[in-house]
Amino acid sequence: MANRELVVLGTASQAPTRTRNHNGYFLRWDGEGLLFDPGEGTQRQMLFAGVTASQVTRVLITHFHGDHCLGVPGVLQRMSLDRVPHPVRAYYPAADAEVFWRLRHASLFHDTLTLVEHPVDGDGVVADRTDGAGSDGFRLEARALSHLVPAVGYRLVEPDGRRMLRDELAARDIVGPDVGRLRRAGRLVTGGRLVTLEEVSVPRRGQRFAFIMDTRLCDAAFELADGADMLVCESTFADADAALARDYGHLTAGQAGQIAAASGARLLVLTHFSQRYETGPPERLRDEAAAAFTGEIALAADLDRIPVPKRKP
């Protein structure tokens, strides 16, 4: 099982179809499990995908249209039923906090879950696990998007670090706990010689993940996608329907490709497809994105497992 992967739980916009469930995405990131936009049916899709309620540590909602949040009641109630022992953190647009409250209390159940709410009321960092979090630390950032209702996109950023070089360490007889001491302090005296971290390591760029749902083209979308190793982006409409996309606050597949290209993304995951294309070849959307973006493109399907790209050498 990959330590960092996206599990696609659903890919349909607005209404589910015979082949696509409502939205839902589970990002496995080392010891964390981030559940994005759980639409209707997400709890059942989790069963098919082998994602358990206890694996979810954070729930992130971009906005409160039904295809992005109608699964919240079932998912939270399942967490209570399974008596998930750890706190679960929830992020959503602060302007619609009352809607989240109504979803949370949509039915009667024995609530045993420790849910910590983090309403997002501005751009910036909404969670920071970089201090003392070890190698799996990250910052979680949010930006306001351009939709018909308050909406935000999310971005996960791992801090830059350094990759230790085994041969260089061995040449200086640095082994075991001394490796950790050198990494933390940046220098180590061994065998009567001072060794610096720069001598035995090379820079390692932190990985980045971006999640952009319902929005028109806007500066925030490009900021979220900047340097993303994996960019999950809505592509509700084909380019021929660009006017509809603009009117309803959405992106075309070509515009998703533009965002990926301008932002230097590595892997673009297209999703959130309109049911109007259900009977046609979905490859047309990939082709339209590829006209703007020459990097890797994945056309998401329900229950896909897509690894976060390995680090560049």
Side-chain angles (χ1 to χ4, degrees):
M1 180 181 296
N3 288 331
R4 295 181 179 181
E5 68 171 356
L6 179 74
V7 182
V8 180
L9 302 173
T11 55
S13 71
Q14 192 174 46
T17 70
R18 292 180 182 272
T19 59
R20 297 186 183 278
N21 197 74
H22 257 178
N23 272 290
Y25 310 88
F26 178 76
L27 177 65
R28 194 187 313 279
W29 192 274
D30 301 330
E32 292 254 4
L34 294 84
L35 179 62
F36 292 86
D37 280 4
E40 182 180 355
T42 292
Q43 182 183 180
R44 192 160 187 262
Q45 292 293 95
M46 289 169 63
L47 292 172
F48 287 131
V51 176
T52 67
S54 62
Q55 291 173 338
V56 177
T57 58
R58 301 174 194 261
V59 178
L60 303 96
I61 300 169
T62 59
H63 66 291
F64 285 104
H65 279 149
D67 52 329
H68 297 260
C69 69
L70 286 177
V72 168
V75 168
L76 295 184
Q77 290 178 35
R78 181 57 184 262
M79 290 178 178
S80 286
L81 180 66
D82 290 355
R83 298 188 180 277
V84 169
H86 56 260
V88 175
R89 301 184 180 277
Y91 306 83
Y92 54 81
D96 289 320
E98 182 182 350
V99 180
F100 184 83
W101 187 93
R102 293 202 300 264
L103 289 168
R104 172 98 198 265
H105 302 284
S107 68
L108 302 178
F109 69 104
H110 180 48
D111 191 354
T112 65
L113 179 66
T114 301
L115 187 69
V116 183
E117 297 183 32
H118 298 270
V120 178
D121 59 1
D123 294 347
V125 177
V126 296
D128 192 338
R129 289 193 62 248
T130 57
D131 292 336
S135 60
D136 61 345
F138 60 80
R139 293 190 313 276
L140 182 63
E141 303 173 359
R143 297 283 189 281
L145 296 173
S146 175
H147 194 39
L148 302 181
V149 299
V152 298
Y154 296 99
R155 166 182 168 87
L156 188 152
V157 180
E158 178 187 40
D160 294 339
R162 301 193 69 86
R163 180 171 64 85
M164 307 302 285
L165 302 175
R166 293 182 180 178
D167 291 346
E168 298 296 334
L169 290 168
R172 295 161 176 80
D173 294 324
I174 300 175
V175 298
D178 281 345
V179 177
R181 294 188 185 100
L182 174 57
R183 183 191 292 272
R184 289 188 297 273
R187 57 182 58 203
L188 179 74
V189 176
T190 178
R193 177 188 170 186
L194 174 66
V195 178
T196 65
L197 184 61
E198 288 74 16
E199 293 178 68
V200 295
S201 67
V202 293
R204 185 200 68 182
R205 181 182 177 277
Q207 288 190 307
R208 302 177 185 183
F209 170 88
F211 187 80
I212 299 173
M213 284 294 125
D214 301 18
T215 184
R216 303 175 183 90
L217 278 179
C218 61
D219 290 344
F222 292 92
E223 292 168 3
L224 289 165
D226 182 38
D229 294 277
M230 176 183 282
L231 166 60
V232 180
C233 191
E234 69 128 314
S235 53
T236 309
F237 290 100
D239 290 348
D241 296 315
L244 279 176
R246 182 182 61 252
D247 292 345
Y248 289 102
H250 284 290
L251 296 172
T252 67
Q255 289 170 337
Q258 291 175 35
I259 293 171
S263 305
R266 295 177 60 197
L267 169 61
L268 170 62
V269 180
L270 299 176
T271 187
H272 195 272
F273 307 118
S274 169
Q275 65 266 34
R276 70 182 58 231
Y277 310 119
E278 185 68 11
T279 58
E283 286 75 16
R284 66 180 287 195
L285 300 177
R286 175 166 40 203
D287 292 344
E288 291 178 358
F293 177 59
T294 59
E296 185 179 356
I297 299 175
L299 197 66
D302 289 23
L303 305 183
D304 278 352
R305 307 181 87 92
I306 306 175
V308 175
K310 293 182 178 180
R311 299 181 190 278
K312 290 182 178 180

